[in-house]
């Protein structure tokens, strides 16, 4: 029994050290959004421990259709499978570590159907002293095949693209761009902020001249119209008409400053969030600013993430430590499924919003590897279990000897 106890403790200790595995869900064929999204542990950040990251990264980018993409400040990027809810750490070639820290409007973005992922590409470090242009621009990954398409921007010493937004039909991608420069002191900086539109069907890139870069991602409609907003002003750009400036105060219902904008499928109608606390949700047509009306609101911070269908938008709401993704339609505030984001913190998120047309699905929490602190704690526990098992065995044998002696005396 002592031997069995020690062996049992040893086996349990090994499991505690290694961490038990959660088997993948099986028998699920229809894609869905997970009901809960869990943040990636900070110790898997490659800027903290490259070895921990390297041991967990996927061997290729063919991770399949995804419901969510997560980006940590240090550069860790993960996708969540739309089929079984499994998490995949991906190493996107040319994505500079720490890009999320510099560009908080997002450096990765899932297409609305979750089949492609756009991200910023720059083959030189942000602090590089290179004297020549660094290949850079936008890269798009086909998550089913793992193939990567390059869309290179030749400017300065390279560019940093960020704040990606897909058109509802997945054809166009709009994004902010900064040109990397080198000062006389040899440090690397940025200037010339502008907005571009990429046609993923043809590869054509066009600069949205007259549309300023703002702190939030731009939006782009199915017709290719690019939109940005700041304060009480919105700008639109069309390839055949150029830029138009819109005063949202023409609407009697408009209150606050523009925070985020997203385009409605098949039309030029958009949803926008605004307010000192980002708590107001509006819908309207930029061509007719007086048409904007308030349809609902949220908590301390509300951001439009994209469209679910012809009349429903997905919005991300942050209230203190609680972060929730929910849907709203043009007739009023919340409707449909909600997704809870656990431990959101400073994580950047991108969602395959069309998956919210159907109910969310419960999926097990990811089985992340253990941190060094967890391994030490579990190792100590394993040793304690083993010592306890040995001690219990010794005590039991002593009691048996005492009982045998008493029987002999009787």
């Amino acid at each position: 029994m002592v031997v069995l106890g020690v062996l049992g403790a040893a086996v349990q200790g090994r499991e505690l050290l290694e961490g038990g595995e959660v088997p993948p869900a099986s028998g699920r064929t229809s894609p869905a959004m997970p009901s809960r999204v869990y943040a990636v542990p900070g110790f898997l950040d490659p800027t903290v421990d490259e070895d921990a990251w390297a041991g967990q990264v996927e061997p290729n980018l063919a991770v399949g259709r995804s419901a969510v993409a997560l980006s940590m400040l240090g550069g860790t990027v993960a996708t969540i499978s739309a089929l079984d809810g499994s998490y995949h750490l991906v190493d996107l070639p040319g994505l500079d570590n720490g890009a999320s820290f510099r560009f908080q409007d997002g450096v990765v973005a899932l297409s609305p159907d979750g089949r492609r992922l756009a991200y910023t590409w720059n083959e030189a470090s942000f602090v590089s002293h290179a004297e020549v242009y660094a290949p850079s621009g936008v890269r798009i990954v086909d998550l089913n095949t793992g193939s990567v398409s390059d869309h290179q921007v030749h400017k300065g010493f390279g560019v940093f693209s960020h704040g990606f937004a897909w058109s509802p039909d997945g054809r166009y991608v709009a994004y902010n761009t900064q040109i990397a420069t080198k000062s006389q002191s040899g440090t690397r900086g940025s200037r010339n902020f502008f907005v571009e539109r990429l046609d993923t069907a043809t590869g054509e890139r066009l600069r949205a001249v007259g549309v300023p870069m703002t702190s939030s991602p731009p939006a782009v409609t199915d017709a290719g119209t690019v939109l940005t907003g700041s304060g009480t002003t919105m700008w639109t750009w069309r390839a055949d008409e150029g830029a138009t400036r819109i005063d949202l105060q023409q609407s009697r219902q408009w209150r606050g400053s523009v925070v985020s904008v997203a385009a409605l499928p098949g039309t030029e109608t958009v949803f926008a969030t605004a307010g000192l606390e980002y708590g107001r949700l509006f819908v309207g047509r930029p061509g007719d600013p007086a048409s904007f009306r308030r349809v609902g609101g949220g908590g301390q911070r509300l951001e439009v993430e994209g469209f679910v269908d012809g009349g429903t938008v997905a919005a991300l709401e942050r209230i203190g430590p609680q972060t929730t993704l929910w849907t709203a339609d043009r007739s009023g505030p919340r409707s449909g499924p909600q997704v809870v984001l656990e431990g959101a913190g400073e994580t950047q998120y991108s969602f395959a919003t069309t998956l919210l047309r159907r109910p969310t699905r419960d999926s097990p929490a990811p089985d992340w590897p253990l941190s060094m602190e967890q391994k030490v704690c579990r190792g100590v526990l394993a040793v304690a279990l083993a010592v306890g098992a040995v001690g219990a065995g010794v005590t039991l044998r002593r009691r048996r000897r005492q009982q045998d002696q008493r029987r002999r005396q009787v």
Side-chain angles (χ1 to χ4, degrees):
M1 290 185 65
V2 175
V3 174
L4 292 176
V6 172
L7 288 177
V11 171
Q12 185 175 6
R14 185 179 64 184
E15 292 178 351
L16 290 170
L17 285 169
E18 296 176 352
E21 294 186 359
V22 177
S26 60
R28 297 172 175 170
T29 57
S30 60
M33 185 73 67
S35 59
R36 288 185 178 271
V37 174
Y38 301 88
V40 180
F43 67 85
L44 285 180
D45 188 330
T47 61
V48 176
D49 186 352
E50 288 189 7
D51 294 335
W53 164 260
Q56 301 299 321
V57 69
E58 296 286 334
N60 58 61
L61 299 177
V63 295
R65 189 175 183 181
S66 300
V68 187
L70 304 85
S71 177
M72 302 289 286
L73 291 183
T76 303
V77 176
T79 62
I80 304 177
S81 171
L83 297 180
D84 61 13
S86 59
Y87 286 62
H88 303 270
L89 294 178
V90 293
D91 189 8
L92 300 174
L95 176 62
D96 180 31
N97 290 343
S100 300
F101 176 77
R102 292 193 300 275
F103 309 117
Q104 298 184 20
D105 54 358
V107 295
V108 300
L110 277 175
S111 60
D113 61 5
R115 292 187 169 93
R116 289 174 292 168
L117 180 71
Y119 70 94
T120 184
W121 158 45
N122 191 307
E123 294 187 4
S125 170
F126 189 73
V127 295
S128 171
H129 300 314
E131 299 287 350
V132 297
Y133 164 81
S136 55
V138 178
R139 277 181 167 163
I140 296 180
V141 182
D142 184 319
L143 296 176
N144 287 324
T145 65
S147 62
V148 180
S149 59
D150 298 346
H151 301 278
Q152 195 165 176
V153 182
H154 292 275
K155 298 286 184 181
F157 291 97
V159 300
F160 296 95
S161 300
H162 51 95
F164 297 96
W166 291 79
S167 60
D169 63 3
R171 173 170 178 170
Y172 296 103
V173 180
Y175 46 89
N176 296 321
T177 297
Q178 300 183 25
I179 301 176
T181 61
K182 183 178 178 182
S183 67
Q184 292 181 351
S185 63
T187 58
R188 197 175 179 85
S190 299
R191 64 173 178 82
N192 291 349
F193 312 112
F194 58 93
V195 179
E196 277 198 343
R197 187 198 72 182
L198 168 66
D199 186 339
T200 63
T202 64
E204 179 187 48
R205 288 186 303 101
L206 292 176
R207 181 171 175 175
V209 179
V211 173
M213 188 189 84
T214 64
S215 59
S216 61
V220 58
T221 70
D222 288 340
T225 301
V226 177
L227 307 99
T228 63
S230 178
T232 60
T233 303
M234 188 174 290
W235 291 266
T236 65
W237 174 89
R238 295 177 60 91
D240 56 346
E241 297 179 0
T244 301
R245 186 177 183 276
I246 299 152
D247 181 9
L248 295 173
Q249 289 182 314
Q250 294 182 34
S251 169
R252 294 181 179 180
Q253 292 197 31
W254 184 267
R255 296 291 185 277
S257 301
V258 178
V259 176
S260 60
V261 183
L264 186 69
T267 75
E268 297 293 282
T269 300
V270 300
F271 272 88
T273 58
L276 296 177
E277 294 183 344
Y278 309 165
R280 301 182 177 97
L281 182 63
F282 295 88
V283 63
R285 300 182 302 276
D288 181 12
S291 68
F292 276 88
R293 60 185 178 86
R294 185 173 178 177
V295 294
Q300 296 174 349
R301 186 177 178 89
L302 190 65
E303 301 170 1
V304 175
E305 294 295 319
F307 278 88
V308 179
D309 53 31
T312 307
V313 65
L316 192 66
E317 181 181 46
R318 300 177 188 265
I319 305 179
Q322 179 73 41
T323 303
T324 307
L325 179 74
W326 46 265
T327 61
D329 57 37
R330 284 180 286 181
S331 61
R334 306 185 186 193
S335 63
Q338 296 189 24
V339 179
V340 176
L341 280 61
E342 300 281 358
E346 296 179 316
T347 302
Q348 296 174 353
Y349 296 91
S350 178
F351 304 92
T353 52
T354 60
L355 296 180
L356 288 171
R357 295 173 181 172
R358 53 174 65 94
T360 58
R361 175 181 295 145
D362 294 335
S363 299
D367 183 36
W368 299 117
L370 300 178
S371 66
M372 183 56 65
E373 291 78 7
Q374 290 172 318
K375 289 180 180 180
V376 171
C377 291
R378 295 195 179 191
V380 171
L381 177 59
V383 172
L385 288 173
V387 172
V390 172
V394 171
T395 301
L396 180 61
R397 294 177 68 178
R398 285 179 180 176
R399 289 179 178 176
R400 286 182 175 177
R401 289 176 182 176
Q402 292 174 355
Q403 291 175 353
D404 291 341
Q405 291 177 355
R406 291 172 182 172
R407 290 172 182 171
R408 291 172 183 173
Q409 291 176 356
V410 173

